[in-house]
Amino acid sequence: MPTKYLRSPNRDHQSPSTSALDAASLDRRAFVKLVGTAAIGWGVSPVHLRAAWAQRPIDPSRLIPGKDRRLIVHNSKTGVLETPVELLRQHRVTPKETLFVRNNQFLPGSLTLDPLPLDNWTIEIMGLVKAPRIISATELAQMEQTDVEMVLQCSGNGRSYYARTVKTRGTQWKKGGMGNVRWRGVLLKTVFERAEVTIHPSARFLTAEGKDAPLVPTAPDFEHSVPLHDVIDKAILALEMNGEPIPAVHGGPVRLIIPGYYGTMNIKWLHRLRLEAHETFNHHQIPRYRTYIRPVKPGTRLKRTFENTAPNWHQRVKSIIWSPLEDDVVAAGPVTISGVAWNDGMVEIEAVYVSTDRGRTWQRARLQVPASRYAWYPWTITVPLRPGQHEIWSRAIDALGRSQPLDGSIHWNPSGYEWYGVDKIRITVS
Amino acid sequence: MRRIFAYVFITATVVIIVLALTQSPLPKGPGVELVVTKCQTCHGLEYLTDSAGISREMWAETISEMEEYGMEIEPQERETILNYLATYLGPHPPSEADRSPHSSKSRNRTIDAAELYRQSCAACHQAQGEGMGRLAPPLAGNEMLLKDRRYALLVVLHGLEGEIEVGDRTFDGQMPPMAHLRDEQVAAIVNYILTAWGNDQRRPTDFAPLSPEDVTKARSESLTPQQVWEYRRKLR
């Protein structure tokens, strides 16, 4: 079906036509001002008041209406919520009510599970292209749609385990900064074809920006770059999550979804795509969201450069145990251990091994077929356990032989990203 | 009956606001107010308690990162914040018993009004009381402040919400109640504002300085930010 695309006359963000298109949804400057006002107002919302009155932690279901009240609140201002494993393990596809939330910035009206309207939402494609384009979300909705089920994981997930050596700053995620979610949208390459975007051969990176803004107007605006050649045939501009329009808090109406990549690269409230010859040097791309290429002694602080670090792009091979839970008491005899494993989707997960003797011997768990190469692989194994204290370890390995380090702190980095050490829990068998 | 209900309702609302401002998950210690003010502008205080236990160097890096995100602090404030974080949220925080002498010491310290203004007000009203954008009106030469000596006190204690005009400009920011400050501190700040930047030349000669007792009394009035706005409207 022929679709008419709006042309952006130049690359200036404040060009008249761009502003006119934006005005109907959210003018950026008005938005920054609005947030500034809210920031100065100390952020004392009715939710905070209620929590203060009751002298108990903030209720996540009031912070983000519709969220399960059993979620863990890590930041009550921008909305950072973790899914406890007890909830995570209940569903093969994580429902929106329990899916974790991690927001760096804030878009007014987005702290809700309700969707934002597609109308008047546009995405600008610019940079190293023959002619910049502006496409609308409604045009996207009319293009060929692709489905993908995948693990969405915050690159800080598991950060708290680095504290076994040297604690790193930031949200102390345990295992629940992740979920397994179904997305539906238009493949990036389809968007480029349909919008007749001609990319210059020197373009090597795709830099994405959302419509959200920093809380303080002078701060660097969140954006990320990903390697164009790697994402062009798998990234999608998603319009739906789990069969519904994407909830506002999860980045709708349009979110950049890159299967296999860490969550942070999946830019919410997608508003602009830039094709560039180099990764952005925005603060959120460097030094944030990077790990050292060479292992360092925990506690080492080394200036992070493009040369000595790599961005949080491909997810590391990982498995987690979600039954039993840490400190559970189970009956002696055959004990069923279960969990999930995943990687970056480049190749299959080949096996998950479980040890009940701190790594001396390993037994192979039974793997279930995942819904897609990017989704999680549920696994289960039944082992005999005698009464006493036990440690259970799990370790995944993929077809490339990539696996999890026995001591995850080998990957220690100052911001505690990409924890993927062998999962270890302690239980009591009675 | 209805009046009693309204009274109870308003009192409860104010109590809740004060609670929200004073209830903080952070341990008490020198500088905690500055930490609350600066950090909560952008994120919840959970972010601090979550990281409790990291080293002084890591807290220093964290502060630098926050400066990247637009936090504006003077070198001296940076030192205060870092000392607080590295001590109370550092690897070896003092026990509850160790803490009490510190807090009583800080309580007896003489109050530096200019410093208090800089910490609590200047982020929005700016160093010379010149105000900021449409958010915060100027305090230097602000006629409304010089018309009624109680007005500034009520705004500091109870906040102000609603569109206002100062000079030929309109402001629609929200002034948060600063009820977490002690009576002596509030009195010092208001007296400072009413005399600084040439305000002492413009105000009526019968303007007596406010005492902590005046603050105690005004605090007990329990107004909402909207009621303070009403109070202001009647002054015009």
Side-chain angles (χ1 to χ4, degrees), chain A residues 33 36-44 48-53 55-56 58 73-78 102 104 166-173 214-216 218-220 283-284 288 299 301 304 412 414-415 417, chain B residues 12-13 15-17 19-21 23 33 36-37 40-47 49-55 57-59 61-62 65-66 68-72 124 132 134-135 172-178 180:
Chain A
K33 199 190 77 189
T37 312
I40 282 160
W42 275 52
V44 179
H48 289 81
L49 293 177
R50 208 171 279 115
W53 183 242
Q55 292 284 315
R56 60 175 158 72
I58 286 162
V73 178
H74 283 299
N75 183 339
S76 54
K77 192 125 182 181
T78 57
R102 199 281 181 255
N104 266 279
V166 175
K167 183 169 177 174
T168 63
R169 63 202 163 88
T171 301
Q172 298 297 308
W173 297 97
L215 286 157
V216 176
T218 52
H283 179 75
H284 298 282
R288 287 193 90 199
R301 284 178 313 279
R304 283 168 280 188
W412 193 93
S415 300
Y417 297 123
Chain B
T13 309
V15 167
I16 291 168
I17 289 171
L19 252 175
L21 288 170
Q23 189 227 23
E33 283 157 13
V36 169
T37 310
Q40 215 167 224
T41 302
C42 295
H43 58 79
L45 297 173
E46 303 90 348
Y47 186 76
T49 48
D50 234 15
S51 297
I54 65 174
S55 67
E57 290 78 7
M58 286 190 191
W59 277 123
E61 281 171 10
T62 308
E65 178 153 6
M66 297 304 152
E68 284 274 339
Y69 300 150
M71 175 171 71
E72 286 179 11
C124 302
M132 184 168 84
R134 280 172 60 95
L135 297 175
D172 51 10
Q174 277 182 322
M175 165 78 191
M178 307 297 276
H180 61 290

Side-chain angles (χ1 to χ4, degrees), chain A residues 44-183:
Chain A
V44 179
S45 66
V47 178
H48 289 81
L49 293 177
R50 208 171 279 115
W53 183 242
Q55 292 284 315
R56 60 175 158 72
I58 286 162
D59 178 352
S61 67
R62 294 195 188 273
L63 189 64
I64 302 172
K67 281 288 176 188
D68 193 296
R69 60 186 311 156
R70 292 167 292 180
L71 299 181
I72 302 158
V73 178
H74 283 299
N75 183 339
S76 54
K77 192 125 182 181
T78 57
V80 179
L81 305 178
E82 174 167 358
T83 317
V85 177
E86 300 91 296
L87 298 186
L88 195 59
R89 67 187 181 187
Q90 287 176 8
H91 305 276
R92 173 105 182 215
V93 172
T94 314
K96 62 181 177 184
E97 291 80 8
T98 54
L99 183 63
F100 81 101
V101 180
R102 199 281 181 255
N103 284 336
N104 266 279
Q105 299 185 158
F106 183 67
L107 178 73
S110 69
L111 288 184
T112 169
L113 288 185
D114 292 335
L116 293 172
L118 283 187
D119 302 344
N120 301 315
W121 192 276
T122 57
I123 295 143
E124 187 180 3
I125 302 171
M126 57 179 280
L128 293 165
V129 292
K130 195 169 242 175
R133 294 279 193 273
I134 290 177
I135 56 164
S136 70
T138 44
E139 285 167 335
L140 280 178
Q142 289 158 16
M143 296 181 196
E144 184 192 351
Q145 306 289 309
T146 299
D147 293 277
V148 64
E149 183 176 316
M150 59 167 231
V151 171
L152 182 74
Q153 180 190 205
C154 176
S155 64
N157 194 31
R159 176 178 291 128
S160 61
Y161 302 118
Y162 283 113
R164 290 170 186 167
T165 52
V166 175
K167 183 169 177 174
T168 63
R169 63 202 163 88
T171 301
Q172 298 297 308
W173 297 97
K174 294 189 176 88
K175 299 179 191 178
M178 64 170 295
N180 192 50
V181 192
R182 284 198 191 118
W183 302 96

Side-chain angles (χ1 to χ4, degrees), chain B residues 9-137:
Chain B
F9 179 79
I10 291 164
T11 311
T13 309
V14 173
V15 167
I16 291 168
I17 289 171
V18 172
L19 252 175
L21 288 170
T22 50
Q23 189 227 23
S24 133
L26 300 180
K28 290 221 166 24
V32 68
E33 283 157 13
L34 186 63
V35 171
V36 169
T37 310
K38 292 293 177 183
C39 304
Q40 215 167 224
T41 302
C42 295
H43 58 79
L45 297 173
E46 303 90 348
Y47 186 76
L48 301 183
T49 48
D50 234 15
S51 297
I54 65 174
S55 67
R56 186 180 178 90
E57 290 78 7
M58 286 190 191
W59 277 123
E61 281 171 10
T62 308
I63 294 173
S64 303
E65 178 153 6
M66 297 304 152
E67 287 177 304
E68 284 274 339
Y69 300 150
M71 175 171 71
E72 286 179 11
I73 47 170
E74 304 291 325
Q76 198 190 329
E77 289 176 318
R78 190 193 161 91
E79 199 57 23
T80 306
I81 292 175
L82 179 57
N83 283 339
Y84 174 84
L85 295 173
T87 308
Y88 295 92
L89 299 177
H92 308 290
S95 67
E96 201 66 48
D98 294 340
R99 254 179 236 150
S100 38
H102 286 286
S103 47
S104 66
K105 202 188 288 169
S106 75
R107 215 166 279 277
N108 295 334
R109 216 174 37 191
T110 49
I111 292 167
D112 179 347
E115 176 61 18
L116 262 178
Y117 172 83
R118 217 174 48 74
Q119 284 185 9
S120 304
C121 320
C124 302
H125 293 287
Q126 303 293 298
Q128 299 304 314
E130 60 265 49
M132 184 168 84
R134 280 172 60 95
L135 297 175

Side-chain angles (χ1 to χ4, degrees), chain A residues 359-375:
Chain A
R360 275 178 60 229
T361 60
W362 297 85
Q363 297 174 70
R364 196 167 175 158
R366 193 157 43 88
L367 278 186
Q368 280 181 43
V369 180
S372 100
R373 60 207 267 212
Y374 301 107

